[in-house]
Each structure stands twice: as C-alpha cells, then as structure tokens.
Amino acid sequence: MEKTTLVQHIRKQERQTPLATGEFTELMTEIMVASKIISNAVNRAGIGEDIFGITGQTNVHGESVQKLDDFANCTFAKIIGQSGTVCAIASEEMEAPMIISAEENPGKYIFMMDPLDGSSNIDVNVSIGTIFSIYRKVSKGSEVTHEDLHQPASQQVAAGYVIYGPSTLFVYTSGEGVHGFTLDPSLGEFFLSHPDIKIPEQGSLYSINEGNTTIWSEKQKQLVSWLKGQEPGSPQNYRLRYVGTLVSDFHRTLLKGGIFMYPADEKSPKGKLRFSYEAAPMAFIVDQAGGDATDGLKRIMDSQPNDIHECTPLFIGSKKDIEISNKFLSE
Ligand code: AHG
Ligand code: MN
Ligand code: MN
C-alpha cells in the first residue's frame, strides 16, 4: 500500500487550495516536529528523562503543573513561536497569551493549545495527548486583539490532537474531513493510517466520570441512568469506558461512536474542560466526522468564549447520542 506522509497529505490539500501561501503547511509541519519531541520524551520517561512528577507550580486553573506539562508547553511555544506563521499562542499552561512581536516575524495564525492533556495519567503510563486549535487573525493592523483571541469555534482554520499511547497518533482536520497519521518511530515519520474518519451515527459506549454522580444535576443523573438501562424504555447495550484523558476518551468515541460527557456539576458549575483548547478543537473534529458537540444545550461550534481559559460543559460524540442527551438536558 502506498504510504502517504502527513506533510505530503497537507501539501496535497494546499495545492487544491487557491491562494494558499504554504504558511499553513509550515505551521502544521512545526506542530508535527514538536509532537515528535514530546512523543520521544514520553516514551523515555522514567529512563533518563527526568519528566515525571510535579514542578511545584500551579497553573491559571490552580492545577499542579507536571514536569511534562511544562516541557510540552515550552517545546510547542518555542517551536511554534519561531515558525514565523503565528502572531499569538494561547496555552492552558500560560496565563496570558504569548504575543509574537513585529521583530520576531509574526504570521497570520493564532495558535491555541493544551500542550499536555491527561496530566493525572502521566506517571501511571496511561495514554496522554496534546490538543491544538488554529484561527486566522481577523483584526486589522499588527496588534493582536481580544477579538482575535475569542473567536467562534466555527472560525477555526484547523484543529487536531496527538495521542502519546501504544502508538503516537496525529489526528487533524482543516475542514476537509478528519485524517489520522501514525508515527513510525524507526523513520520519525507520520504515515496516513486513518483516512477520512467518520463517527458512527449512534454508538453503545458512554464515557463520564461516575465518581461525580452525587454532584450532577437531576437531569444529568437521569440521562446516565437511562444510558445504563435503568429507566423504562432505556437501551440495554450501553457500556461505560473512561480513561480520564480527554484525547483518549474522545478518540475512542470518534472511532467507535457513543458519547463523552463532562457536565457541569456542583464542584465545577461551568464544567471542567476548557472551551478554547479542549472543547472547540474536538467539536470541529467531530463536526467534520459527522458527529456533534454541545455544552448540554448549545452547539460548541456556534459558541465563543469571553476568556481564553473559560470552562464549558462538554457533550460530544455520535449525532443520535447527542440528540438523546439534548432531549434529557433540555426537558
Ligand atoms: P489536563 O490534563 O489538560 O488538565 O486535562 C485533564 C482533563 C481531560 O483530559 C479529562 O477528560 C479530564 O480532565 C478528566 O477529569 P477527571 O479526572 O475529573 O475525570
Ligand atoms: Mn486537557
Ligand atoms: Mn493540559
């Protein structure tokens, strides 16, 4: 079978895009380089690379910053910051966005990232990942404005994630479908392994942290009880899968169908996941794969944040399963 590399795939899409300047291809290539560096560090964690454990700092969310969070953030920020393709970088691990000054040759894109997703799973050898989202600068002039950093999710130019797991997988969309590439570590190259991913219309897996059951809303409790076959007329075939790393729980949902939920609860009234660099990129991807994503009521793709670190409830997955969740949550 002819093997297509990630760069060949992006270049082919670039050739089919009138007025393309190659800047997007350059940016995606740099994201790929950074993800290979993280992949190498993750696969060597515990042997030589001192990247287990915590840095002793906390991030804007008050979460303890793991050494790998910091390493991933610095690696992406440095490589993307020097790429000449972006004018701003927003990150879960940086309170304020990094603005690329005029002297540093800024580009036309805004890059948003969760550099290391699933931090609680780093030291226990469970899959973790990186999530990214790319917008075009929309304001006139050289200043990066509030408008540039808080665009509707529907304005994303591209979105993607990398899973550092049994294999390193790079999944992205630029509005032309969803495509997955697997890293061949012996060659250091990502090869097309999941062309044109489509999510099943309905699944039989639900994914949620049931440890929070007591602090969910009554409607949320009823929805999960229905999925578990405990309500009159409910199905008997849904099973629970929960890794605790969004990229892994989302990737399984994308391939097998079903629904991932991180609802608002008494502890997190706006949910735990972040709109700009977790919910919005995953919503773009699932939308392109034929699924849907809401905050329980409103589509994520039709929403926009007021703050780059803003949290949102997230319901994402197969169209039919999202319709079911909407029915329970809007009644
Ligand atoms: P991060 O490590 O970037 O902070 O993200 C962790 C998120 C997400 O990956 C996952 O879906 C969720 O936290 C799990 O939260 P709980 O441990 O509360 O279930
Ligand atoms: Mn995360
Ligand atoms: Mn993170």
Side-chain angles (χ1 to χ4, degrees):
M1 179 176 91
E2 197 198 301
K3 291 174 123 183
T4 306
T5 68
L6 175 54
V7 176
Q8 287 167 341
H9 189 271
I10 295 168
R11 280 227 180 92
K12 194 165 142 226
Q13 287 189 327
E14 178 196 319
R15 283 194 294 274
Q16 292 158 355
T17 312
L19 307 178
T21 61
E23 204 170 324
F24 177 71
T25 301
E26 260 180 76
L27 172 51
M28 290 295 285
T29 304
E30 298 303 336
I31 297 170
M32 184 181 66
V33 170
S35 59
K36 287 184 201 173
I37 293 169
I38 309 301
S39 173
N40 181 53
V42 165
N43 292 327
R44 293 171 43 76
I47 38 168
E49 303 275 342
D50 173 24
I51 51 163
F52 276 150
I54 60 170
T55 58
Q57 294 143 19
T58 52
N59 67 14
V60 63
H61 303 278
E63 297 159 340
S64 162
V65 178
Q66 305 283 327
K67 285 181 188 167
L68 195 57
D69 284 321
D70 202 34
F71 177 74
N73 185 61
C74 295
T75 301
F76 273 94
K78 191 165 173 356
I79 291 176
I80 308 298
Q82 289 171 344
S83 67
T85 63
V86 302
C87 53
I89 297 175
S91 165
E92 175 194 7
E93 303 306 341
M94 299 191 294
E95 184 156 5
M98 182 173 142
I99 304 300
I100 311 303
S101 66
E103 302 72 53
E104 294 168 293
N105 178 29
K108 65 184 172 195
Y109 294 113
I110 307 273
F111 184 76
M112 300 201 157
M113 66 172 165
D114 176 356
L116 207 289
D117 175 63
S119 308
S120 61
N121 282 325
I122 292 172
D123 293 3
V124 294
N125 201 22
V126 169
S127 296
I128 50 184
T130 296
I131 309 170
F132 64 87
S133 171
I134 300 169
Y135 292 86
R136 234 180 235 97
K137 183 179 186 312
V138 288
S139 67
K140 299 283 170 271
S142 59
E143 289 294 302
V144 175
T145 66
H146 184 275
E147 181 197 11
D148 291 323
L149 294 164
H150 301 86
Q151 300 182 49
S154 56
Q155 294 307 302
Q156 290 177 88
V157 171
Y161 57 86
V162 186
I163 303 184
Y164 311 107
S167 58
T168 295
L169 198 57
F170 189 111
V171 177
Y172 90 99
T173 185
S174 56
E176 315 271 330
V178 179
H179 310 283
F181 300 80
T182 299
L183 180 65
D184 177 338
S186 63
L187 298 175
E189 198 58 78
F190 281 100
F191 289 99
L192 182 62
S193 52
H194 298 73
D196 202 17
I197 300 173
K198 292 294 176 202
I199 188 169
E201 182 79 5
Q202 184 162 10
S204 56
L205 296 173
Y206 74 101
S207 188
I208 191 167
N209 182 341
E210 294 222 5
N212 294 330
T213 302
T214 53
I215 54 174
W216 291 339
S217 69
E218 283 313 308
K219 290 178 180 176
Q220 182 63 45
K221 288 177 189 170
Q222 267 164 12
L223 167 58
V224 173
S225 167
W226 188 84
L227 289 168
K228 290 167 81 165
Q230 293 167 346
E231 298 289 323
S234 61
Q236 300 304 318
N237 64 329
Y238 277 81
R239 287 160 294 133
L240 172 63
R241 292 287 184 276
Y242 193 73
V243 174
T245 296
L246 174 61
V247 289
S248 304
D249 284 318
F250 174 74
H251 185 67
R252 184 200 54 250
T253 304
L254 185 68
L255 296 190
K256 294 188 178 284
I259 183 168
F260 171 87
M261 300 172 271
Y262 208 107
D265 58 40
E266 286 163 19
K267 197 173 53 173
S268 321
K270 288 205 71 178
K272 172 182 180 181
L273 300 177
R274 280 54 61 109
F275 183 92
S276 297
Y277 37 80
E278 289 175 315
M282 295 319 205
F284 187 19
I285 292 167
V286 84
D287 184 63
Q288 283 284 310
D292 209 349
T294 74
D295 63 4
L297 297 169
K298 191 175 173 198
R299 291 186 73 240
I300 299 290
M301 287 296 273
D302 301 335
S303 308
Q304 69 189 99
N306 295 309
D307 176 276
I308 54 171
H309 296 298
E310 184 176 301
C311 294
T312 176
L314 180 63
F315 296 77
I316 189 165
S318 297
K319 222 169 212 40
K320 284 232 183 319
D321 293 313
I322 295 298
E323 281 166 12
I324 292 165
S325 70
N326 287 343
K327 197 168 82 56
F328 273 89
L329 298 172
S330 57
E331 271 168 356

